[in-house]
Amino acid sequence: MISQLIEKIQKTKAPVCVGLDPMLSYIPECIVKKALGEWGETLEGAAEAVWQFNKEIIDHTWDLIPAVKPQIAMYEQFGIEGLKVYKRTVDYCREKGLVVIGDVKRGDIGSTSAAYAAGHLGHVQVGERTLSGFGTDFITVNPYLGTDGVKPFVDACQKEDKGLFVLVKTSNPSSGEFQDKLIDGRPLYELVAEKVVEWGELSMDGDYSNVGAVVGATYPEMSRVLRRLMPKTYFLVPGYGAQGGTAKDLKPCFNEDGLGAIVNSSRGIIAAYKQEKYASFGAEHFGEAARQAVEDMVADINQVL
Amino acid sequence: MISQLIEKIQKTKAPVCVGLDPMLSYIPECIVKKALGEWGETLEGAAEAVWQFNKEIIDHTWDLIPAVKPQIAMYEQFGIEGLKVYKRTVDYCREKGLVVIGDVKRGDIGSTSAAYAAGHLGHVQVGERTLSGFGTDFITVNPYLGTDGVKPFVDACQKEDKGLFVLVKTSNPSSGEFQDKLIDGRPLYELVAEKVVEWGELSMDGDYSNVGAVVGATYPEMSRVLRRLMPKTYFLVPGYGAQGGTAKDLKPCFNEDGLGAIVNSSRGIIAAYKQEKYASFGAEHFGEAARQAVEDMVADINQVL
C-alpha cells in the first residue's frame, strides 16, 4: 500500500494530504441552513451538512492531491448518522482514486485490535462471505499497549495490502508529558520509534514499510532524530499551518530522495475561506478557496524539498 | 456518575461488570443461523445475531450486576450495522437501569478528544438543539497524548455527570513494553497514575472521582502500588478469568472499605456455555449459563473482600 501512496505523491508532486475534519463551525451557513431545513435540527441534518461540505471540498481538490485523512471523531460526534457520512466520504474519495487515511487512533489488547483491524482495514467473515466494514487504505494506531496490541494491525497490512501510521511523537502541546520522558537517557518516543521499525520489517512494500509513523511538524528537532532512526518508515505529519508548523519545520521529516513524509492540513484547507488570505472567494465558494489553499501549501512545501 | 455506580455496586453486592464483547464465534449456531437466514450473509445479518445474543445475555444478568462494558471494536468490525447494534445495546442496558461503560479507548489532540467526548459522553449542538450520539455513562480513554488530549473528556464528566477510566496499566502480555519503562526510577504507569489523580481532582463526586483508571488484574504487585498512589480513583479491572487473573489477584485493587474497583469479565460470562463447567446448560441456554457464571464470579470475588 505504501508504494501506491508514494506513486500518487510522485504523480501529483504533492506530499500533502487534506484532513477532512469538518466541525459544524467550519461549514458555511448556507449549507448548514439547507441541510437542517431539509432534515430538521437532527443528527441526520448535521450529518447531511457535513457530507455536502466534504463533497464540495473533495470535488475541488481531488486532482491535486494523493490522499485525504478523515478524522473519525468529527463524524462519531454525530453518532450513527455521522459515521454513515464517514463511510460515504471514504467511499467517495476511493472512487476518486484518492488514498484514504482513516484517522482513528485505535489500539487495544490483541483480540480487540484484531477486530478494529478487520473493521477498518480488512474483512470480517460472515458465513461463507468476507465483508468489509469501513474499507480505508491506512489507519492511525495508538501504541500504548505494546506489540500485541499493534501486531493485528500489522498482520492486516501484510494480508490485505494496507498501511498504518503509528503515533510516535504527536503535534499537540502536551505531547511531551509522557512521550518525551527519558528512559535510560532516551525519550519514550524513540523507543516507540524502534518498535515501529521492528513492526515495519514485517510488512515491507518496496523501499518503505506499510507501517508508518505519526510525527508532528511542531517539533522539528525531534523529527530530525526520528528520520535517522526510521529510514524506511513513512511519516504522516500533522501540525502544519493552523497548529503552527512551517515548511521549514517539515524539512527534517523528509529523506534525501524527497520522499518519506506526507504532510496533513485540515483547518488550513477546508476552512481556508475563513482566512483573510482567501476571504475574497466568499463563503459560498469555499471549495475554490480550499483548492487555492492546497496549491499554496504544495508550493510552500516543495520550495524546501 | 461514580457515586451512581458505587450505589449500584452496593445494592447488588457485586463489584463486577459484564463485558459485552460478542465475537461471532461466541454466539450459538442457532442464533447465527436464524439471523443470517433472515438477513443473508451480510453485515446486517451478523449485527442481528450480535443483538439477539446480547439481549439474551442482558435479560439473564441485568438484575445481578451494576454495569456492563460493551467493547466497541466488536461492533465496529461490522461497520455501520455493527455500530447500530452497539447503540441499541447501550440504550437497552440503560433502560434496564445498568451503568454502561463504553470501552472505546479513544484519545487524540484536544479538539478531537472534545468531539469524541461529545459523541460518547455528552452532546453536540445542532442549531438550537443539543443532541446525544451514543450516550454512554463512562468511557475508557488512552492517555498517550497527555493532558490536553484527556482534559476534554474530564470536562465532559464534570459538565454532564459522566465518568472515565483512563488506561494506566493494561492487562495484556506486552503492556510492560512501554508502560513499565523506568523514568527516574519509576515506571511510566506510575506517572500516568499521578496525572489521573490530578485530572480526577477536577471532577470529584463524593469520596471518589469521576476519573477512574484501567488497572489489569494480571499484575497484582502493580495494583498494590497503584491503589496507594490513587486512593480516590476507581479502578476498572480487566483480565479476570479468561485472561488469567484470579480473585486473589484482585484483592489489592480494592480499598479497605471494600470499594474502589469494578472487575470485568467478558468471555468468562458471555461464552460461559462453552466451558466444561457450564456445558450442561447446553448452547440454547447460554443466557442461563451466563447468569450462573455471574453468580459464581460474584461469590468468588466477595470471598476475598
Side-chain angles (χ1 to χ4, degrees):
Chain A
M1 177 47 71
I2 194 70
S3 64
Q4 284 185 50
L5 177 61
I6 292 171
E7 200 182 296
K8 281 180 204 288
I9 290 172
Q10 289 176 319
K11 212 165 138 189
T12 52
K13 297 185 179 63
V16 307
C17 137
V18 170
L20 297 171
D21 308 355
M23 310 262 244
L24 271 188
S25 61
Y26 296 171
I27 306 180
E29 216 185 299
C30 55
I31 291 193
V32 175
K33 228 172 164 174
K34 185 158 179 280
L36 301 191
E38 202 170 328
W39 295 87
E41 293 183 343
T42 59
L43 296 172
E44 288 89 334
E48 174 66 16
V50 169
W51 164 246
Q52 293 299 339
F53 180 73
N54 277 358
K55 188 170 178 300
E56 192 82 0
I57 298 283
I58 299 160
D59 286 345
H60 281 86
T61 57
W62 69 273
D63 58 316
L64 301 176
I65 54 174
V68 289
K69 182 178 76 63
Q71 167 52 260
I72 201 169
M74 297 304 166
Y75 304 82
E76 216 165 293
Q77 67 181 324
F78 301 113
I80 300 295
E81 297 306 322
L83 286 160
K84 283 187 197 165
V85 167
Y86 173 77
K87 169 75 174 138
R88 197 167 171 185
T89 300
V90 169
D91 290 347
Y92 189 70
C93 290
R94 296 194 76 214
E95 276 168 36
K96 290 277 191 192
L98 291 161
V99 169
V100 181
I101 303 166
D103 197 353
V104 301
K105 296 193 177 66
R106 301 305 194 242
D108 209 299
I109 65 169
S111 53
T112 306
S113 284
Y116 279 130
H120 289 279
L121 297 174
H123 293 86
V124 281
Q125 188 76 30
V126 179
E128 301 291 305
R129 299 177 65 199
T130 50
L131 304 169
S132 156
F134 289 104
T136 38
D137 300 307
F138 284 83
I139 57 169
T140 54
V141 164
N142 186 310
Y144 188 68
L145 283 88
T147 295
D148 60 29
V150 176
K151 189 63 175 20
F153 294 108
V154 179
D155 294 344
C157 289
Q158 188 57 13
K159 188 177 159 207
E160 310 255 4
D161 191 21
K162 299 281 184 168
L164 305 181
F165 293 102
V166 180
L167 302 187
V168 171
K169 173 67 190 171
T170 57
S171 58
N172 58 312
S174 317
S175 71
E177 216 167 86
F178 303 125
Q179 297 166 27
D180 294 3
K181 284 287 182 261
L182 295 182
I183 293 154
D184 295 332
R186 298 173 61 212
L188 174 60
Y189 62 78
E190 289 192 23
L191 268 73
V192 177
E194 283 173 357
K195 282 288 166 190
V196 169
V197 169
E198 245 181 78
W199 300 327
E201 282 162 5
L202 303 174
S203 188
M204 292 300 294
D205 176 26
D207 291 340
Y208 287 92
S209 171
N210 285 323
V211 182
V214 173
V215 177
T218 38
Y219 304 100
E221 289 316 307
M222 299 177 184
S223 309
R224 206 179 311 274
V225 175
L226 290 171
R227 186 66 285 170
R228 266 201 310 271
L229 270 179
M230 301 192 275
K232 296 175 176 184
T233 306
Y234 234 82
F235 290 5
L236 171 64
V237 185
Y240 171 84
Q243 284 183 58
T246 66
K248 213 175 123 253
D249 296 333
L250 297 171
K251 180 100 168 94
C253 292
F254 289 85
N255 276 324
E256 295 289 304
D257 58 4
L259 294 174
I262 182 163
V263 182
N264 181 74
S265 176
S266 302
R267 244 176 306 173
I269 305 292
I270 67 175
Y273 76 98
K274 291 198 160 198
Q275 295 173 43
E276 211 182 304
K277 190 175 171 188
Y278 303 108
S280 62
F281 283 96
E284 68 277 30
H285 299 293
F286 67 95
E288 281 98 326
R291 185 174 179 88
Q292 187 59 54
V294 168
E295 287 177 340
D296 293 348
M297 178 181 173
V298 172
D300 185 39
I301 293 173
N302 279 331
Q303 67 165 340
V304 299
L305 291 187
Chain B
M1 176 49 71
I2 194 70
S3 64
Q4 285 185 49
L5 178 61
I6 292 171
E7 199 182 297
K8 281 181 205 287
I9 290 173
Q10 290 176 317
K11 213 165 137 187
T12 53
K13 298 187 180 60
V16 306
C17 136
V18 170
L20 296 171
D21 309 356
M23 310 263 244
L24 272 189
S25 61
Y26 296 171
I27 306 180
E29 218 185 298
C30 54
I31 291 194
V32 175
K33 230 172 164 174
K34 186 158 178 277
L36 300 191
E38 202 170 329
W39 296 88
E41 292 183 343
T42 59
L43 295 172
E44 288 89 335
E48 173 67 16
V50 168
W51 165 246
Q52 293 300 338
F53 180 73
N54 276 357
K55 186 169 179 304
E56 192 81 1
I57 297 283
I58 299 159
D59 287 345
H60 281 86
T61 56
W62 70 273
D63 57 316
L64 300 176
I65 54 174
V68 290
K69 180 179 77 63
Q71 167 51 262
I72 200 169
M74 298 304 166
Y75 303 83
E76 214 166 294
Q77 67 181 325
F78 300 114
I80 301 296
E81 297 306 322
L83 285 160
K84 283 187 198 165
V85 166
Y86 173 77
K87 169 75 174 139
R88 197 167 171 186
T89 300
V90 169
D91 290 347
Y92 189 69
C93 291
R94 296 195 76 215
E95 277 168 35
K96 290 278 191 191
L98 291 162
V99 169
V100 181
I101 303 166
D103 196 354
V104 301
K105 296 191 176 67
R106 301 305 195 244
D108 209 301
I109 66 169
S111 53
T112 306
S113 285
Y116 279 131
H120 290 279
L121 297 174
H123 292 86
V124 282
Q125 187 76 30
V126 178
E128 301 291 305
R129 297 177 65 200
T130 50
L131 304 168
S132 156
F134 289 104
T136 38
D137 300 307
F138 283 83
I139 58 170
T140 54
V141 164
N142 187 310
Y144 189 67
L145 282 88
T147 296
D148 61 30
V150 176
K151 190 61 175 23
F153 293 108
V154 179
D155 294 344
C157 289
Q158 188 56 13
K159 190 179 158 207
E160 310 256 4
D161 192 20
K162 299 280 185 169
L164 304 181
F165 292 103
V166 180
L167 302 187
V168 172
K169 172 68 188 171
T170 57
S171 58
N172 58 311
S174 315
S175 71
E177 218 168 85
F178 305 124
Q179 296 166 26
D180 294 3
K181 286 284 183 261
L182 295 182
I183 294 154
D184 296 330
R186 298 174 60 210
L188 174 59
Y189 62 78
E190 288 191 23
L191 267 73
V192 177
E194 284 174 354
K195 282 287 168 191
V196 169
V197 169
E198 245 182 78
W199 300 326
E201 282 163 5
L202 303 174
S203 189
M204 292 300 295
D205 177 27
D207 291 339
Y208 286 92
S209 170
N210 284 322
V211 181
V214 173
V215 176
T218 39
Y219 303 100
E221 288 317 307
M222 299 177 183
S223 308
R224 206 179 311 275
V225 175
L226 290 170
R227 187 66 284 171
R228 265 202 309 272
L229 268 179
M230 301 193 275
K232 294 175 178 182
T233 306
Y234 234 81
F235 289 5
L236 171 64
V237 185
Y240 171 83
Q243 284 183 59
T246 66
K248 213 175 124 251
D249 296 333
L250 297 172
K251 179 101 168 95
C253 293
F254 289 86
N255 276 324
E256 296 288 305
D257 57 4
L259 294 173
I262 181 163
V263 182
N264 181 74
S265 176
S266 303
R267 244 177 305 174
I269 305 292
I270 67 174
Y273 76 99
K274 291 197 160 198
Q275 295 173 44
E276 211 181 303
K277 189 174 171 190
Y278 303 107
S280 62
F281 284 97
E284 69 276 29
H285 298 295
F286 67 94
E288 280 97 327
R291 185 176 179 87
Q292 187 60 53
V294 167
E295 287 178 340
D296 293 348
M297 178 181 172
V298 172
D300 186 39
I301 293 173
N302 278 331
Q303 71 168 333
V304 299
L305 291 186

